[in-house]
Amino acid sequence: MSIDPLAIKVRAFLDAARHRLETYNHANVEEVLARLGEQATGFEAIRHPEPGSLPVLTYLDQCLDEAMHFDAALARSIADLRPHFQWRQSKAYSDAVLGTGFIENYGWCEIIGPNGFFSGDDFLLGLLMLGPHQHYRDHFHPAPELYWPLTSETEWRMGDEPLAPKAAGTVIWHRPNVVHATRTRGAPLLTLWSWTRDTATPAQLL
Ligand SMILES: [Fe+2]
């Protein structure tokens, strides 16, 4: 039986992410890794989502250049998967609610999830991008969430905290239903994200 080349690429991404995340001594990262370990990611489980692009992908080269400095293996594995991602947007989001230009500057894809390369069992893992000078304002959801930015110069807040800059590689953990927001400065954002459970309810803006 021949192995699907896409499965090899996706496994390379997951191995690179896992390899780096295993260096963190962080209970929530361990939770993500434990849930990831429970997912069916064998070669036979690979799926081929219909590829889809978005305007925000204009910034992917710039983001990958920066991500190379953070983790070259991970950045390369994302570049290898680039033609295969199905970039998506949340249907409830529009420039009217999030500000002029937001929809041109926002998108996410699933690597594990209903629209991803492995279907996942109440577990999502993917990438999110924002263009420069965007404010993904306060929102919340029941799913516990990891953000792991691969680029720097972005600002994050949750609960009562003010927006604060976080470097590439910072672990950002959102408890269930905690209100949180992300803002970019002059540089675009590429971040890994994961919802570890309770994934059926989408994010809701405040
Ligand atoms: Fe979130």
Side-chain angles (χ1 to χ4, degrees), residues 21-30:
L21 285 170
E22 280 170 354
T23 66
Y24 288 69
N25 183 16
H26 193 298
N28 301 121
V29 171
E30 284 165 21

Side-chain angles (χ1 to χ4, degrees), residues 137-151:
R137 65 178 174 77
D138 284 353
H139 59 285
F140 62 97
H141 40 76
E145 175 179 64
L146 169 77
Y147 273 114
W148 189 41
L150 308 180
T151 57

Side-chain angles (χ1 to χ4, degrees), residues 135-141 143 145 147 156-159 163 172-182 195 203-206:
H135 188 182
Y136 183 2
R137 65 178 174 77
D138 284 353
H139 59 285
F140 62 97
H141 40 76
E145 175 179 64
Y147 273 114
W156 304 75
R157 69 170 294 277
M158 70 171 168
L163 283 159
I172 295 156
W173 183 257
H174 297 138
R175 301 180 305 278
N177 289 313
V178 72
V179 171
H180 52 279
T182 308
W195 282 14
Q204 199 179 320
L205 291 164
L206 208 61

